Amino acid sequence: MKQFLPSAILLLLSFSSFAQDWAYYEPLKSRGEIPDDFTEAYTNKYQREREHISQNKKRKARQTEDDFHRRSEYFIDELLVSGDVIFGNSITEYCNRILDLLLKDKPALRKKLRIYVVKTPGVNALATANGIIFVNLGLIAQMENEAQLAFVLSHEIIHYEENHVLNQYVEEERIRNGEDLYRGSDYSDKLTALSTYSKAQELEADKEGYNRYFKNSGYSQQAPLFVMDVLQYSYLPFDELRFEPSVLEKGNFHIPEDYLLKETAPITANEDYDDSKSTHPNIKTRKLELLGQLSNQHGGQQYQISEASFKYCQRLARYEIARLLLNSGNYAEAIYHCFLLSKKYGIDRYQRLTMAKALTNCAIYRNDNELYKVTTNYKKVEGESQQTQYLLSRFNKKDLNTLAVTYSYDLLHDFPQDPAANRLFNRSLHDLVFVNEMHPSDYEREKRDTNTEDLLSIQDSINATRSSKIKHIKHKRLAEKVVSEENYYLYAFVGFWKDTTFTNRFNEMEGRASDARRNGYDPSGVTTTHSKYDKNYALGIDRVVCVTPMYLKLDERAKDGIKYLSSDEKLEHYRQQLLELSDKVDLDMEMLDYKNIYPKEVDKFNDISLFKSWIQERINHENVDAIVSDFDYMQELRKKYNTDYIAYTGNLSLRVREQNVAGKIIYSVILYPLLPFTIADLIIPDYQSFNYFFLFDLRNGNALLAEYNYYETNDGDDYVRSIIYNHLIQIKEKPKK
Amino acid sequence: MAPLKRLLFLLLALPVASIAQHAPGYLGKRFTVEYNAFLFPSFFNPNSPEIKEQHSFISDVKPSINLQNYLVGQYCASKKISLIASFGFNTTNFLAPSGYGEIAYPYEADKGYSDFLINEYPTMKVRSYSAGIRIYTQHFAPLGQYVEFRLGLAQIKTEDFSYLNIKSGSLDSGNTYTIGGSSSWGPSTALAWGTSRVIKDVVMISYGFDVSLYPFGIRNNRSLLTQDTKASIYYDQGNTADNRKNLNDLAAGRYTMQCFLNLRLGIGFVL
């Protein structure tokens, strides 16, 4: 323990220097020098790994291992440059300290391993054959203590140490090819064999991870068992609290009772599920195996590095997950997640802002009748989080928009100078007035008189015979009450009317809407489509940032379809062409790519990640004019890169397998004048290629240019250059008068 | 508006309207100039004047490759359409009619001269001028696959053609006659499919097929499978107007077949 005290102090000091202001939460960022894993070219990594292939093996085995390294390095590289992987931050450093502790007696092994954090809510960790351990934020968010995290890392160490990933691949090849024991096996048998092998490796990782590194680490010996419980329920949010609608009820907006489920769906996770086709043993099997190891083991500590650090990292992970849920359009989950955060840590601006973003975008999707794209059918959700899915499905357009306005105004009221709050309020108010055609006069100024209603309901409870007159009056009053329940949201702004900011902005928006309608504005909007080649954009833009272009070469005839080395080469070439052709049209293009930044440029690394996540969310919105949830972080980037415009482009090329060869030969022998054409057709390879180019305005998310070019040719230099040039000239040229 | 007028209007208006577009052409370069070679096998017509066996004029012609030369200028009017102007120049030979009703008995029949001998196959030159449009189907003009349509005029010129009357089966010769060359014009139309590529942003290569029709030669074309023609040379008459016209008609027939179907290969520059 003593030897770790300095580390713990250093860790705490490092945390404090990067301490989060939770109310103004900033996305998780990488820190320090960028590791080579991120910047080194894929081809170099692949060449280095294949040098480890033993020459004593048979040719087929060497070939299989070579294939493995070529594929795995490619996919690992893709993950590293996805923008979702971070290094050097508090969470990564914390995990590194745990790893130091576990491997204190194996410095050589420790030196080979690197830990990076993956920004995803999924509860998982992954070890690669080249020594990287990826730990998901979801895992950090749900682990109960440091000891559980340590066990997970121990498990991953064994995957690396015992070469499980490579062995799994080799075995899969043998099974797939029906070699040795698997000769004559049918498809079902092969699946079972694959599953069995994989499960055996998982059990080995549990067992050896415990025995080699965890048992004598000083950690709580019950942790491995409890980890299994966490994994069993990992598909649920980090807590299971009954949702309180009051978290959304601002102003005088009260959610009707029938908008909420009386009981949410039960949790059906079963630890003894059928794992016959699964890669992992079921929880029960794993627990039983572990119990066999733990039978005489007791004691240990839940925290050895620092409980405070663990809780800090966990809170970071949970706050980041709220942002990730927004990015991926899981708004109902984001709302429930923020509700849990408020219960756990107290409500703050960031949680409220996240919920405001979720509600505003839900309203936008609802206005476009596409809410189903960002919600899940509540019947497929278990547990308390089902409530928010159900709730959102119950809203119609006007009340959901009213809720968005109420909520965002409540936030703005508390943070009047906050640009994000302002923007959300403006947008939600705009949609309420322009799209839903609601006017200030539609909303009530006074609260409903509930006293009279209460007295009536008390009187109703008394069983008595009344006159026809009284009965009919009551019936009529009841009908009026039902009507007013449908329009419950009209009372939402009762408390806001005395606030001049609210009143003035509502009236102003109303005025703008009236003017717009007089000028022929149609809120339903018309989506214009334009033909592929004739659109003349002429945007007149002088500077853009281009973020991580993509290039993929595929071959239908190849085993796994991807031409890894070729893709990497062509990507580098594509980047150069973009820069060269930008110069040609005098467009100032800054290329932001992980492979062309220096190790010390970690700020740029973080900027690229933020841009990528913005772009990905924007693309996910497709034609819906939703707000990209990271908009509040873009202001700084726009200033830093001195442009409002971001380009995102890529190219795919697929070599297609020749179809119907025998048929073609037969008919061309019969119709022999066609023979030369058939020979030409069979000799000349068939390709399909696809190029995309987006240009977005970071200020409002507008897609100024969204081009998809599909062509049945190869990706020759001339073709690609021609397409790139066309896009760039459209960006640069000013409209002709 | 009649359909044809409508089509012509469209053909003219589209390129003009699209001139206002940004960035037609390859990297903004709108012009290309190209040499095209049109190639196709010839089985019954010679491509050189040389006759292997002096005493034989029967169609004992070895297969050879027809070659026509074209210079093509292209202007990318829009991203999909380009305007082309084409100048073709071609020199070749054709088979003189060899007999079986095509030969009238020589003038000097009383002297027994019933056959003729030639030293060279008749020579013809073609100059064609055409204009048209190309529509690019996959990529931006002038790249990728295209369909082309041309209209034009062709001038068929025959060179002087000399022959010698001889006694059948011997080399005992009579008079030498020369049928003078002549020239004629006719319309042509063409449809083509091809693919163009650009190398290093400068060099253009193209390949494809061309189907052309020169209608004025249809009646006298010497098809792949037969040697019959409609025009006749009256060997006893020498340089008569009929013979000159018929010689030119035979040349036109040769040209009709020559241009009917060709493989085209091109190389040029993007300007």
Side-chain angles (χ1 to χ4, degrees):
Chain A
M1 176 60 190
K2 279 187 186 172
Q3 62 190 318
F4 295 106
L5 191 56
S7 299
I9 291 171
L10 270 170
L11 199 60
L12 271 174
L13 281 172
S14 72
F15 285 178
S16 65
S17 66
F18 300 128
Q20 276 281 354
D21 176 356
W22 299 109
Y24 289 86
Y25 174 78
E26 291 280 325
L28 274 181
K29 289 182 181 173
S30 299
R31 300 205 187 278
E33 205 161 288
I34 305 172
D36 289 343
D37 284 325
F38 292 84
T39 54
E40 191 182 5
Y42 151 71
T43 44
N44 290 355
K45 293 184 205 177
Y46 161 58
Q47 292 299 336
R48 192 177 51 246
E49 288 300 314
R50 69 196 294 253
E51 281 167 12
H52 298 143
I53 301 173
S54 165
Q55 295 303 311
N56 297 331
K57 291 182 179 174
K58 285 185 187 170
R59 187 180 159 277
K60 194 172 165 67
R62 290 203 314 272
Q63 183 61 49
T64 303
E65 204 171 318
D66 188 52
D67 286 344
F68 167 77
H69 288 305
R70 189 170 54 249
R71 294 181 73 203
S72 75
E73 287 303 324
Y74 182 83
F75 286 113
I76 293 168
D77 196 60
E78 285 296 297
L79 176 58
L80 287 168
V81 300
S82 64
D84 293 333
V85 179
I86 48 176
F87 58 87
N89 56 62
S90 311
I91 300 176
T92 322
E93 289 312 299
Y94 180 64
C95 292
N96 271 311
R97 297 289 84 78
I98 298 174
L99 207 60
D100 289 341
L101 190 155
L102 292 171
L103 293 174
K104 59 185 181 296
D105 297 326
K106 285 197 173 180
L109 175 59
R110 177 64 187 99
K111 212 171 167 186
K112 290 180 190 174
L113 293 173
R114 292 89 74 202
I115 288 189
Y116 302 124
V117 168
V118 185
K119 292 189 288 183
T120 171
V123 178
N124 204 0
L126 160 70
T128 67
N130 60 3
I132 297 176
I133 297 177
F134 292 105
V135 176
N136 288 2
L137 280 182
L139 186 82
I140 306 290
Q142 299 231 16
M143 288 287 113
E144 294 177 298
N145 51 54
E146 185 181 297
Q148 292 181 7
L149 185 54
F151 176 70
V152 170
L153 292 178
S154 305
H155 174 104
E156 298 304 326
I157 292 169
I158 299 300
H159 278 321
Y160 169 74
E161 210 175 0
E162 296 301 316
N163 259 331
H164 281 174
V165 185
L166 171 60
N167 294 343
Q168 172 82 16
Y169 180 83
V170 170
E171 195 67 13
E172 271 179 27
E173 288 298 298
R174 291 180 61 222
I175 292 169
R176 202 172 281 126
N177 297 333
E179 292 172 26
D180 302 332
L181 294 171
Y182 307 110
R183 194 165 289 132
S185 304
D186 63 18
Y187 177 73
S188 176
D189 288 343
K190 285 179 181 176
L191 261 182
T192 305
L194 268 170
S195 167
T196 306
Y197 188 83
S198 172
K199 288 202 286 283
Q201 289 197 319
E202 291 301 320
L203 290 173
E204 184 185 23
D206 282 344
K207 179 182 168 188
E208 294 304 320
Y210 174 78
N211 282 327
R212 288 186 210 175
Y213 303 112
F214 191 83
K215 189 160 71 174
N216 299 319
S217 62
Y219 279 113
S220 162
Q221 295 298 294
Q222 303 304 312
L225 271 182
F226 296 155
V227 163
M228 297 302 146
D229 291 331
V230 173
L231 293 179
Q232 183 175 352
Y233 301 110
S234 61
Y235 65 99
L236 299 168
F238 72 85
D239 207 339
E240 186 65 13
L241 299 177
R242 187 167 179 80
F243 180 70
E244 294 166 13
S246 57
V247 76
L248 296 178
E249 292 173 332
K250 305 296 175 188
N252 204 44
F253 192 103
H254 299 292
I255 295 172
E257 278 183 21
D258 60 340
Y259 277 29
L260 297 162
L261 292 165
K262 294 201 173 15
E263 291 292 330
T264 53
I267 293 163
T268 60
N270 171 20
E271 63 180 22
D272 195 18
Y273 58 83
D274 177 17
D275 61 3
S276 56
K277 298 285 186 272
S278 172
T279 56
H280 283 58
N282 63 32
I283 299 295
K284 182 175 176 183
T285 305
R286 293 178 82 174
K287 274 185 175 174
L288 288 173
E289 291 288 322
L290 281 167
L291 276 169
Q293 309 297 317
L294 300 173
S295 54
N296 296 322
Q297 304 300 322
H298 301 284
Q301 298 177 60
Q302 290 186 337
Y303 301 95
Q304 292 199 72
I305 306 296
S306 161
E307 182 175 355
S309 305
F310 175 82
K311 289 190 185 326
Y312 177 76
C313 289
Q314 189 166 70
R315 189 172 179 178
L316 270 179
R318 290 171 176 176
Y319 268 61
E320 185 67 17
I321 285 171
R323 183 181 150 259
L324 297 176
L325 289 171
L326 278 183
N327 287 160
S328 55
N330 291 309
Y331 299 127
E333 289 178 42
I335 291 171
Y336 185 74
H337 188 87
C338 286
F339 162 70
L340 293 179
L341 289 177
S342 69
K343 287 296 174 190
K344 176 77 180 168
Y345 305 109
I347 192 81
D348 61 36
R349 171 196 164 274
Y350 173 74
Q351 294 160 23
R352 292 169 67 188
L353 184 64
T354 304
M355 284 197 274
K357 288 176 180 177
L359 287 171
T360 304
N361 271 352
C362 280
I364 293 167
Y365 271 86
R366 188 67 185 86
N367 292 339
D368 278 12
N369 297 315
E370 295 194 8
L371 187 62
Y372 65 91
K373 286 185 178 176
V374 292
T375 51
T376 304
N377 183 346
Y378 74 93
K379 291 179 185 171
K380 294 183 180 173
V381 180
E382 295 177 5
E384 295 299 330
S385 62
Q386 187 190 39
Q387 195 70 271
T388 48
Q389 300 284 1
Y390 180 76
L391 175 64
L392 286 176
S393 71
R394 290 305 310 270
F395 284 116
N396 58 36
K397 289 182 189 178
K398 290 185 177 173
D399 56 354
L400 184 53
N401 277 266
T402 305
L403 173 62
V405 169
T406 315
Y407 196 91
S408 56
Y409 183 71
D410 183 72
L411 177 67
L412 180 64
H413 183 266
D414 293 344
F415 302 95
Q417 305 305 319
D418 191 315
N422 263 292
R423 180 160 172 192
L424 289 170
F425 175 66
N426 281 342
R427 179 56 196 270
S428 54
L429 188 63
H430 171 277
D431 283 9
L432 184 71
V433 173
F434 276 73
V435 180
N436 290 277
E437 299 184 346
M438 295 298 287
H439 312 279
S441 56
D442 291 329
Y443 289 91
E444 298 291 338
R445 304 286 163 147
E446 301 286 337
K447 281 189 185 180
R448 273 189 304 195
D449 181 4
T450 55
N451 287 336
T452 310
E453 290 175 20
D454 288 342
L455 283 174
L456 281 172
S457 64
I458 289 170
Q459 284 177 272
D460 278 343
S461 68
I462 302 169
N463 194 6
T465 307
R466 306 305 305 267
S467 68
S468 167
K469 174 183 172 185
I470 298 296
K471 276 186 200 168
H472 281 105
I473 289 170
K474 271 193 178 176
H475 180 76
K476 203 171 171 186
R477 292 294 293 272
L478 197 64
E480 284 166 5
K481 186 180 171 188
V482 169
V483 166
S484 65
E485 281 292 344
E486 281 178 2
N487 297 334
Y488 72 95
Y489 60 94
L490 296 177
Y491 294 88
F493 301 147
V494 163
F496 293 162
W497 294 117
K498 60 183 183 296
D499 190 333
T500 51
T501 304
F502 180 82
T503 312
N504 289 344
R505 282 166 79 155
F506 204 158
N507 288 332
E508 189 191 316
M509 193 66 75
E510 161 81 356
R512 281 171 48 197
S514 301
D515 290 341
R517 282 188 200 103
R518 266 197 297 277
N519 292 331
Y521 167 75
D522 175 13
S524 66
V526 175
T527 304
T528 50
T529 54
H530 44 264
S531 63
K532 211 161 73 164
Y533 291 106
D534 293 337
K535 184 66 180 179
N536 184 20
Y537 288 100
L539 300 170
I541 292 169
D542 294 319
R543 178 174 162 77
V544 301
V545 160
C546 182
V547 177
T548 60
M550 190 275 287
Y551 210 104
L552 201 56
K553 281 191 78 80
L554 307 168
D555 190 337
E556 223 177 25
R557 308 164 307 156
K559 194 165 67 173
D560 54 13
I562 301 176
K563 296 173 76 171
Y564 302 104
L565 294 169
S566 191
S567 295
D568 199 57
E569 267 175 49
K570 288 292 273 190
L571 175 58
E572 180 54 36
H573 190 52
Y574 191 65
R575 277 191 217 111
Q576 285 169 8
Q577 287 180 323
L578 282 164
L579 291 170
E580 182 199 324
L581 291 170
S582 301
D583 280 343
K584 195 175 174 67
V585 304
D586 201 26
L587 174 69
D588 182 7
M589 174 181 279
E590 180 163 356
M591 179 71 64
L592 288 182
D593 194 283
Y594 294 112
K595 300 297 182 188
N596 67 355
I597 54 178
Y598 294 107
K600 291 199 187 316
E601 292 183 306
V602 68
D603 285 342
K604 217 174 241 188
F605 182 94
N606 290 322
D607 295 343
I608 295 172
S609 300
L610 206 49
F611 275 134
K612 281 197 81 164
S613 110
W614 188 97
I615 288 169
Q616 195 52 58
E617 186 185 340
R618 176 60 189 86
I619 289 174
N620 287 346
H621 287 316
E622 291 180 17
N623 288 334
V624 177
D625 188 21
I627 296 178
V628 181
S629 54
D630 279 343
F631 69 85
D632 37 345
Y633 307 119
M634 288 295 125
Q635 172 113 357
E636 198 185 306
L637 290 181
R638 280 165 43 212
K639 277 188 200 147
K640 182 174 175 182
Y641 290 96
N642 194 26
T643 180
D644 295 327
Y645 308 105
I646 185 169
Y648 184 61
T649 176
N651 202 80
L652 274 89
S653 172
L654 167 68
R655 179 162 173 176
V656 179
R657 186 180 284 123
E658 199 67 50
Q659 303 286 336
N660 197 21
V661 175
K664 285 177 184 173
I665 292 173
I666 288 169
Y667 77 61
S668 59
V669 165
I670 295 169
L671 303 169
Y672 59 87
L674 296 176
L675 192 59
F677 298 97
T678 305
I679 292 171
D681 180 50
L682 291 174
I683 290 172
I684 297 172
D686 293 329
Y687 285 91
Q688 292 172 2
S689 299
F690 176 73
N691 181 279
Y692 61 88
F693 196 107
F694 295 102
L695 184 75
F696 296 113
D697 188 334
L698 288 169
R699 294 169 294 184
N700 50 29
N702 284 351
L704 302 176
L705 197 153
E707 286 282 312
Y708 313 89
N709 297 96
Y710 167 74
Y711 41 103
E712 290 185 347
T713 60
N714 62 22
D715 56 342
D717 253 10
D718 50 347
Y719 292 145
V720 173
R721 285 169 74 78
S722 167
I723 290 170
I724 294 174
Y725 179 86
N726 176 62
H727 296 320
L728 297 180
I729 195 72
Q730 301 285 17
I731 295 171
K732 176 66 182 180
E733 285 288 306
K734 294 186 177 11
K736 291 189 195 302
K737 288 180 187 166
Chain B
M1 201 192 262
L4 183 60
K5 277 189 189 171
R6 200 176 286 139
L7 175 65
L8 280 171
F9 174 77
L10 212 59
L11 283 173
L12 287 169
L14 260 177
V16 169
S18 56
I19 280 167
Q21 281 197 353
H22 292 291
Y26 180 75
L27 305 193
K29 300 176 194 174
R30 289 191 176 212
F31 289 95
T32 71
V33 63
E34 211 181 322
Y35 163 77
N36 278 184
F38 280 33
L39 304 164
F40 205 79
S42 174
F43 298 98
F44 294 106
N45 273 294
N47 274 300
S48 84
E50 190 187 323
I51 295 177
K52 295 284 186 224
E53 296 176 23
Q54 290 289 341
H55 64 276
S56 170
F57 53 84
I58 295 173
S59 53
D60 186 18
V61 175
K62 299 284 185 286
S64 58
I65 300 288
N66 288 329
L67 168 66
Q68 297 177 69
N69 308 292
Y70 284 83
L71 285 176
V72 180
Q74 179 177 198
Y75 171 74
C76 300
S78 75
K79 288 181 184 175
K80 283 195 80 172
I81 295 174
S82 63
L83 307 174
I84 52 167
S86 168
F87 166 60
F89 50 102
N90 169 30
T91 301
T92 190
N93 301 87
F94 58 98
L95 198 64
S98 57
Y100 309 119
E102 293 173 350
I103 306 288
Y105 282 100
Y107 169 72
E108 294 150 324
D110 54 336
K111 296 178 184 167
Y113 295 117
S114 59
D115 211 339
F116 73 94
L117 188 69
I118 57 177
N119 291 324
E120 288 186 340
Y121 289 117
T123 300
M124 58 183 276
K125 291 183 179 176
V126 182
R127 301 286 178 265
S128 66
Y129 308 84
S130 62
I133 63 167
R134 272 185 194 171
I135 301 172
Y136 287 84
T137 58
Q138 293 252 7
H139 288 273
F140 301 122
L143 266 191
Q145 293 172 3
Y146 61 82
V147 175
E148 178 182 305
F149 176 69
R150 298 194 310 277
L151 287 173
L153 288 170
Q155 182 191 36
I156 312 287
K157 285 168 74 171
T158 46
E159 303 281 300
D160 291 347
F161 171 52
S162 297
Y163 63 90
L164 172 70
N165 280 342
I166 57 170
K167 285 187 179 171
S168 183
S170 85
L171 288 172
D172 186 13
S173 59
N175 294 322
T176 300
Y177 293 94
T178 298
I179 300 174
S182 64
S183 158
S184 66
W185 287 87
S188 68
T189 181
L191 198 59
W193 300 264
T195 301
S196 294
R197 303 296 302 267
V198 174
I199 302 168
K200 298 286 184 197
D201 294 349
V202 173
V203 176
M204 165 166 269
I205 60 169
S206 65
Y207 50 92
F209 289 96
D210 192 280
V211 175
S212 295
L213 179 63
Y214 183 71
F216 283 11
I218 289 176
R219 292 176 61 205
N220 291 293
N221 74 80
R222 191 183 294 273
S223 66
L224 291 174
L225 302 175
T226 175
Q227 302 170 41
D228 294 338
T229 61
K230 300 295 180 288
S232 293
I233 299 294
Y234 296 96
Y235 286 92
D236 62 332
Q237 295 180 14
N239 188 25
T240 61
D242 278 346
N243 272 349
R244 288 197 298 277
K245 180 185 177 303
N246 287 344
L247 192 67
N248 196 277
D249 285 348
L250 288 169
R254 165 82 167 114
Y255 179 62
T256 296
M257 268 322 292
Q258 189 184 35
C259 68
F260 180 68
L261 173 64
N262 281 278
L263 168 71
R264 57 191 286 182
L265 302 172
I267 185 162
F269 296 99
V270 180
L271 305 173

